[in-house]
Amino acid sequence: MPETRRAAPTLSARMERLGTESAFEVLARAKALEAAGRSIINLGIGQPNFPTPPHIVEASRKALADGHHGYTPANGILPLREAVVADLHRRHGVSVSPERVLVVPGGKVTMFFALMMFGEPGAEILYPNPGFPIYESVIRFSGATPVPIALHEAAGFSFSADEVLAKITSATRLIIINSPANPTGGAVSRRELDRLAAGLERHPQVAILSDEIYGEILYDGAEHVSLLRYPALAERVILLDGWSKTYAMTGWRLGYGIWPKALLHYAERLAINCHSCVNAAAQYAGIAALEGPRAPLAAMVAAFDERRKLITAGLNALPGVRCATPTGAFYAFPNIAGTGLEARTLENRLLEEAGVATIAGTSFGAFGKGYLRFSYAADTAAIGEALARIKTWLARNARA
Ligand SMILES: Cc1ncc(COP(=O)(O)O)c(C=O)c1O
């Protein structure tokens, strides 16, 4: 009997356009090498290497013991939304109503919802490049055209408001801003944000997604200016923030968006269609994080600062490598063009041959060519050892 030919399932065309965040692939490869007995220093994935502070863990344990096992309102429990609002007031001096808060499973979800809301064929969405890879991935997935805002090393990886404004066309629906930034560690100054906000008054049809997930991780007295502070933009700024980075809670999957009133209904519908609500115990942990002591955060940022100085100095001492001093987040983004090696080659060979996981700059977009991202959310001993391994490896293999 001839075998019946089965047709393969027919996927939607958009599935071919979906990109990824290669930090997760590098993490999997690093884990596999470790499991095979290799010593790997992971400076790839962007997560604090600190435990979640104990008072936060305790709050979720108590929530479970108290019987918080069911669904919660789709937008999040009111005490958590009130805590978010109080935190925004403390940090930015802004008054937002708790109705505008949508609690979601991680920072990424606000991004996905905003891009699904505005993206479709024919629409243009501006995004930072190099930037968090999910921006470009989901813009393409939505069918919209990604329009890069190139970030340059010479400008401290900030942008010029005039350059951004010049890219706006009648098809522009949304602009993504991320400050402090992944992967560059750059932060946009108040001056440039003021200029952007003023210029956007001429383009009332354009919405803004402001990804401020690293807003509390800043150095050298750098100031974080939230786009929520601009009353003229209040009807069209979507704020993305969350607990992952600030409170060392990446695995809890807890984030929030502040939505303009007119968009809230759609964002909540997306939540109900997608995940119903966030894990109840995690929401109680989120309250403890926002209302509890600030000392664990201050200690974490102080530790990052020490590592930042160590890694920047160490990278600048490597042949063929030049590293701008990051002012925020926990990433260094050195220019590696002088080594004579492509970023992807360097990423692969440093992992396989030197046992150091990093991420090629091109994983963050075409303008990341010639750069490598290091996450310095690892202890100083690990960073020192990684730098020593890279130095030895470059001495054998690089052009410089
Ligand atoms: C710029 C930026 N936005 C959002 C996220 C997503 O955060 P979460 O893990 O809470 O989804 C990340 C995570 O690396 C990030 O770097």
Side-chain angles (χ1 to χ4, degrees):
M1 285 268 291
E3 213 180 297
T4 325
R5 279 194 59 200
R6 294 225 181 97
T10 309
L11 296 179
S12 72
R14 83 172 80 83
M15 291 315 297
E16 293 303 321
R17 299 197 299 266
L18 191 61
T20 189
E21 186 183 351
S22 67
F24 283 96
E25 287 163 17
V26 173
L27 179 67
R29 281 169 60 208
K31 292 274 174 226
L33 287 167
E34 266 177 343
R38 293 279 309 280
S39 151
I40 303 293
I41 300 172
N42 198 337
L43 304 183
I45 195 89
Q47 64 177 337
N49 66 328
F50 293 92
T52 304
H55 67 280
I56 302 177
V57 177
E58 187 46 40
S60 72
R61 203 196 314 265
K62 181 171 182 315
L64 287 173
D66 289 350
H68 294 291
H69 304 165
Y71 293 124
T72 76
N75 56 347
I77 55 175
L78 181 59
L80 178 58
R81 288 182 289 114
E82 286 174 341
V84 166
V85 162
D87 183 58
L88 291 173
H89 188 264
R90 178 184 61 80
R91 290 198 284 140
H92 309 308
V94 294
S95 296
V96 171
S97 122
E99 278 76 60
R100 287 180 55 204
V101 182
L102 181 68
V103 177
V104 282
K108 268 181 182 166
V109 181
T110 301
M111 192 184 300
F112 194 81
F113 286 3
L115 291 168
M116 284 296 118
M117 219 177 266
F118 288 100
E120 65 180 336
E124 293 178 1
I125 298 182
L126 274 55
Y127 72 105
N129 186 329
F132 189 53
I134 301 306
Y135 304 145
E136 186 176 339
S137 164
V138 183
I139 295 171
R140 288 191 192 282
F141 187 64
S142 77
T145 304
V147 179
I149 302 168
L151 302 182
H152 303 290
E153 182 188 344
F157 294 113
S158 178
F159 60 70
S160 125
D162 291 340
E163 269 178 45
V164 177
L165 293 165
K167 288 188 187 293
I168 296 178
T169 70
S170 57
T172 307
R173 297 264 179 92
L174 181 72
I175 302 180
I176 305 177
I177 303 292
N178 172 218
S179 177
N182 176 9
T184 63
V188 181
S189 68
R190 175 189 286 268
R191 180 175 169 272
E192 231 39 57
L193 285 176
D194 284 353
R195 285 159 55 84
L196 181 71
L200 283 172
E201 289 187 38
R202 295 196 306 275
H203 304 281
Q205 79 288 1
V206 176
I208 304 107
L209 171 66
S210 186
D211 182 343
E212 303 184 13
I213 201 143
Y214 297 102
E216 295 214 66
I217 306 179
L218 280 161
Y219 314 101
D220 295 337
E223 130 189 81
H224 172 60
V225 183
S226 174
L227 278 181
L228 279 186
R229 289 194 200 179
Y230 295 87
L233 300 181
E235 300 303 314
R236 51 201 172 111
V237 166
I238 302 158
L239 174 82
L240 180 162
D241 208 334
W243 286 257
S244 295
K245 318 286 175 173
T246 316
Y247 300 100
M249 292 177 71
T250 51
W252 293 73
R253 308 313 300 139
L254 190 61
Y256 66 85
I258 305 295
W259 292 84
K261 282 205 183 74
L263 303 180
L264 197 57
H265 162 80
Y266 298 107
E268 195 171 320
R269 282 225 164 162
L270 280 164
I272 293 169
N273 275 270
C274 178
H275 57 262
S276 298
C277 67
V278 171
N279 172 314
Q283 295 192 47
Y284 284 89
I287 300 174
L290 295 175
E291 294 183 345
R294 314 296 303 160
L297 168 63
M300 189 171 79
V301 175
F304 285 155
D305 194 13
E306 188 191 345
R307 299 161 183 192
R308 174 181 76 110
K309 290 173 180 146
L310 176 72
I311 199 161
T312 310
L315 288 169
N316 276 315
L318 295 175
V321 178
R322 178 181 75 216
C323 185
T325 305
T327 44
F330 38 68
Y331 306 107
F333 201 60
N335 184 319
I336 47 93
T339 63
L341 293 159
E342 292 284 331
R344 184 73 60 203
T345 310
L346 205 48
E347 173 197 284
N348 285 329
R349 294 191 62 190
L350 287 179
L351 178 60
E352 305 283 341
E353 298 168 26
V356 181
T358 61
I359 312 285
T362 39
S363 294
F364 304 95
F367 291 94
K369 190 170 166 2
Y371 294 86
L372 209 54
R373 189 192 78 172
F374 289 74
S375 160
Y376 51 85
D379 62 39
T380 47
I383 292 171
E385 169 66 14
L387 289 165
R389 288 186 189 184
I390 298 173
K391 187 174 180 191
T392 308
W393 188 89
L394 284 175
R396 293 201 192 111
N397 300 286
R399 181 185 67 191

